[in-house]
C-alpha cells in the first residue's frame, strides 16, 4: 500500500466500494417476501417455519407409527383423530371446506377409512333423482327389481316393476303397499301436465300454532286422499317448517327442502298458472284446501281405488282385551301409512346431511373405534410427501395450509 496517507485513503475507499457493491447485489438477488395478513415474512423465514412445522408433524407421525406397529399407544387418540376426520369430511360436504384441518393433523385425505354410519349424500340424491323421473320418451321411471346405480346396469324398464323405496315383499309390508305406491306415483306424475284433462288440488300445509308435524302430515294425507278420489294431482304449497335459511332457493318454505316433491316441477308450474285463472277456478280445474270441509280432510273416506286392502287377511286388533276383526279406523290407518310413505319416499341432500350429522353425533365414536380395531396396517398414514413439497416450494398458499 505504501506509507503515504493519500495511498492509504484510496485503498480503503476501494475496499469499501467493493463491500457496498457486494451488499447491493446481494439485496437484488435475495429472496422476496410474502404477505400473510398484516405481517410480512421473508422466504427464508417461511422456509424455517415450514421446516420446523413439518419436522413436528413427522415426529408426530413417527410416534403414531411406532404405536401402531407395537399395538400400543393411546388408542383413544387415534379414535378421536378418526372421528374428527369424519367430522371434517361432513363439514366439507356441506360447505366445501374442511380439507386444511385434515392436513394440519397430518392426515392424508385419501387414506381416511370410509365411515360405515354415513351416507354419500350427493351420490344418493343423484340416484334418487333418476328414480323419480321419466327417462327420455319413456312413460315410466327406470325402476328395476334390484337396488343400485342403474347407469352401470342398463335394462329395459317394465311396468311390472315396483317402487324402489319399498323394501321387502308384499307379505312384509301393509297389504298392497308396493302396488299402491306405484299407482300413487303414476297418479302424481302424469305424462303431460298440460293435458286439459289433468286437474289439480293446490293446498298449503297446516300452519296454525297448535298443529304439530304429526297433525300437518295427517292433514296432507287427507288432502292426498281427496285428490286421488277426485282424479286430481295434489300440489303442496307453503310449508312453514321449511321457512328458514337452511332451505335454499326454491326449496325455501317447501316440503321439497326435506323430501322429494309430491309431484313433478312441470305439474307444479301448471297448477300455479291455473291458480291465476278465474275461469279455471270456476270450472273446477283447480281447487284449494278451502274448497273442502275440515271433516272431509281429517276424517274423509279412504280411496277405494284399491278395494278393501285387508280383505285377504284376517287382521285382529286388541281393544281392551277383545280381538276385533274389523273397525272403522283400520282403513284410515292403512291409508295414512301409504300416504306418508309416498310423501317421504326419497330424502333430499339436505335431509341426508342432517341424518349424517345426527348419526355421527350418536354413533361416530363407536364406529371410529370399531374401524380402528379392524385395520390390520394401522392408521393414520402421514402426508410425508406433502411436507416435503412445502419445504421444497414454500409458497404462500402452501404455507397458509399449515399455519
Amino acid at each position: 500500500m505504501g506509507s503515504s496517507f493519500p495511498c492509504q485513503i484510496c485503498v480503503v475507499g476501494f475496499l469499501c466500494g467493493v463491500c457496498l457493491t457486494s451488499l447491493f447485489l446481494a439485496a437484488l438477488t435475495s429472496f422476496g417476501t410474502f404477505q400473510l395478513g398484516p405481517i410480512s415474512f421473508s422466504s427464508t423465514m417461511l422456509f424455517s417455519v415450514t421446516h420446523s412445522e413439518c419436522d413436528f408433524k413427522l415426529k408426530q407421525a413417527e410416534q403414531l407409527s411406532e404405536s401402531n406397529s407395537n399395538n400400543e399407544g393411546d388408542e383413544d387418540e387415534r379414535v378421536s383423530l378418526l372421528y374428527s376426520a369424519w367430522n371434517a369430511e361432513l363439514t366439507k360436504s356441506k360447505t366445501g371446506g374442511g380439507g386444511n384441518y385434515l392436513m394440519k393433523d397430518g392426515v392424508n385425505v385419501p387414506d381416511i377409512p370410509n365411515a360405515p354410519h354415513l351416507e354419500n349424500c350427493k351420490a344418493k340424491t343423484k340416484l334418487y333423482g333418476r328414480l323419480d323421473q321419466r327417462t327420455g320418451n319413456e312413460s315410466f321411471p327406470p325402476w328395476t327389481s334390484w337396488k343400485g346405480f342403474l347407469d352401470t346396469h342398463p335394462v329395459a324398464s317394465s311396468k311390472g316393476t315396483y317402487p324402489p323405496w319399498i323394501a321387502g315383499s308384499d307379505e312384509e309390508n301393509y297389504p298392497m303397499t308396493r302396488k299402491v305406491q306405484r299407482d300413487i306415483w303414476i297418479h302424481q306424475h302424469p305424462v303431460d301436465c298440460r293435458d286439459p284433462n289433468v286437474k289439480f288440488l293446490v293446498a298449503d300445509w297446516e300452519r296454525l300454532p297448535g298443529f304439530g308435524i304429526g297433525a300437518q302430515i295427517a292433514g296432507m294425507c287427507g288432502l292426498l286422499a281427496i285428490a286421488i278420489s277426485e282424479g286430481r294431482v295434489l300440489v303442496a304449497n307453503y310449508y312453514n317448517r321449511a321457512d328458514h335459511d337452511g332451505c335454499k332457493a326454491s326449496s325455501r318454505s317447501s316440503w321439497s327442502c326435506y323430501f322429494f316433491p309430491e309431484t313433478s316441477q312441470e305439474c307444479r308450474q301448471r297448477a300455479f298458472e291455473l291458480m291465476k285463472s278465474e275461469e279455471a277456478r270456476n270450472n273446477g280445474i283447480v281447487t284449494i284446501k278451502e274448497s273442502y270441509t275440515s271433516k272431509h280432510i281429517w276424517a274423509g273416506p279412504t280411496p277405494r281405488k284399491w278395494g278393501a286392502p285387508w280383505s285377504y287377511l284376517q287382521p285382529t286388533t286388541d281393544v281392551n282385551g277383545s280381538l276385533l276383526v274389523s273397525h272403522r279406523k283400520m282403513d284410515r290407518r292403512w291409508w295414512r301409512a301409504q300416504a306418508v310413505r309416498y310423501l317421504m319416499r326419497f330424502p333430499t341432500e339436505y335431509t341426508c346431511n342432517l341424518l349424517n350429522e345426527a348419526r355421527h353425533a350418536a354413533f361416530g365414536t363407536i364406529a371410529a373405534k370399531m374401524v380402528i380395531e379392524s385395520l390390520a396396517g394401522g392408521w393414520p398414514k402421514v402426508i410425508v410427501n406433502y411436507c416435503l413439497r412445502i419445504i421444497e416450494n414454500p409458497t404462500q398458499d402452501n404455507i397458509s395450509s399449515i399455519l
Side-chain angles (χ1 to χ4, degrees):
M1 285 179 57
S3 59
S4 64
F5 182 76
C7 290
Q8 293 176 353
I9 292 298
C10 291
V11 171
V12 171
F14 173 78
L15 293 176
C16 290
V18 170
C19 292
L20 290 173
T21 302
S22 300
L23 290 173
F24 181 74
L25 292 175
L28 290 178
T29 58
S30 65
F31 292 106
T33 61
F34 296 100
Q35 186 73 22
L36 295 178
I39 305 174
S40 297
F41 294 93
S42 68
S43 296
T44 305
M45 294 171 62
L46 289 175
F47 182 84
S48 177
V49 171
T50 55
H51 199 288
S52 61
E53 180 72 18
C54 283
D55 282 346
F56 176 70
K57 295 298 179 186
L58 293 174
K59 186 176 295 185
Q60 283 184 324
E62 292 174 358
Q63 293 174 353
L64 285 173
S65 297
E66 183 177 355
S67 298
N68 291 342
S69 60
N70 296 330
N71 290 324
E72 296 176 353
D74 191 357
E75 181 178 313
D76 291 341
E77 182 179 350
R78 290 194 292 145
V79 170
S80 177
L81 180 59
L82 181 55
Y83 177 91
S84 299
W86 285 341
N87 195 62
E89 288 289 279
L90 280 178
T91 303
K92 182 178 179 181
S93 67
K94 288 182 60 179
T95 64
N100 287 347
Y101 173 86
L102 299 178
M103 288 185 172
K104 288 199 300 182
D105 268 15
V107 178
N108 195 0
V109 176
D111 292 332
I112 298 176
N114 290 330
H117 61 302
L118 303 180
E119 289 187 325
N120 186 331
C121 293
K122 287 187 179 297
K124 277 294 185 71
T125 304
K126 185 178 179 180
L127 171 62
Y128 295 152
R130 288 198 301 270
L131 297 176
D132 202 57
Q133 62 183 358
R134 304 179 191 277
T135 56
N137 295 326
E138 296 290 333
S139 59
F140 208 69
W143 297 344
T144 63
S145 58
W146 65 84
K147 299 181 184 296
F149 289 88
L150 303 179
D151 288 346
T152 60
H153 301 283
V155 65
S157 297
S158 168
K159 289 190 176 182
T161 56
Y162 289 102
W165 59 87
I166 300 300
S169 63
D170 288 331
E171 289 73 16
E172 296 172 291
N173 292 279
Y174 266 17
M176 304 179 70
T177 290
R178 295 196 298 170
K179 175 175 173 51
V180 171
Q181 293 296 308
R182 172 180 173 272
D183 291 346
I184 294 177
W185 191 95
I186 294 173
H187 173 89
Q188 287 291 113
H189 293 79
V191 176
D192 182 9
C193 295
R194 295 189 173 273
D195 188 316
N197 295 320
V198 177
K199 298 183 295 184
F200 300 92
L201 192 168
V202 180
D204 291 341
W205 292 74
E206 295 288 349
R207 64 176 82 183
L208 295 176
F211 285 87
I213 180 63
Q216 288 179 308
I217 291 177
M220 193 55 65
C221 290
L223 289 165
L224 181 58
I226 293 172
I228 290 178
S229 298
E230 295 186 357
R232 299 179 182 277
V233 174
L234 175 66
V235 177
N237 198 9
Y238 178 77
Y239 183 48
N240 59 350
R241 296 179 184 273
D243 191 2
H244 57 78
D245 294 337
C247 299
K248 308 297 184 181
S250 61
S251 70
R252 178 81 181 244
S253 304
S254 173
W255 179 255
S256 61
C257 177
Y258 299 105
F259 297 94
F260 274 52
E262 68 290 337
T263 187
S264 64
Q265 184 61 31
E266 293 77 13
C267 281
R268 292 181 64 84
Q269 292 176 352
R270 178 57 176 165
F272 294 141
E273 289 176 7
L274 292 173
M275 284 286 291
K276 300 176 183 179
S277 170
E278 184 177 353
E279 180 183 359
R281 295 196 304 270
N282 292 337
N283 293 335
I285 298 176
V286 58
T287 58
I288 58 177
K289 181 170 63 177
E290 288 70 21
S291 303
Y292 309 94
T293 65
S294 297
K295 183 178 181 180
H296 196 183
I297 295 173
W298 293 93
T302 299
R304 289 303 174 187
K305 180 177 180 179
W306 300 282
W310 299 104
S311 60
Y312 73 97
L313 296 176
Q314 183 63 49
T316 54
T317 303
D318 186 351
V319 178
N320 297 327
S322 300
L323 294 179
L324 302 181
V325 175
S326 178
H327 58 88
R328 61 185 179 86
K329 291 186 177 181
M330 286 176 57
D331 285 353
R332 186 183 305 168
R333 291 173 179 172
W334 173 86
W335 168 248
R336 285 182 177 175
Q338 300 297 339
V340 170
R341 192 66 191 93
Y342 173 77
L343 293 172
M344 296 183 175
R345 64 194 182 282
F346 290 135
T348 60
E349 185 175 349
Y350 176 69
T351 298
C352 179
N353 283 326
L354 291 179
L355 293 173
N356 271 349
E357 291 177 5
R359 281 193 295 265
H360 190 55
F363 311 114
T365 302
I366 298 174
K369 185 175 182 180
M370 293 174 61
V371 169
I372 290 295
E373 292 175 349
S374 67
L375 293 176
W379 189 86
K381 297 181 181 179
V382 183
I383 39 178
V384 178
N385 292 335
Y386 176 73
C387 280
L388 293 177
R389 177 172 61 83
I390 293 180
I391 293 174
E392 294 171 358
N393 183 25
T395 63
Q396 179 178 352
D397 291 338
N398 289 344
I399 301 305
S400 62
S401 67
I402 68 170
L403 289 179

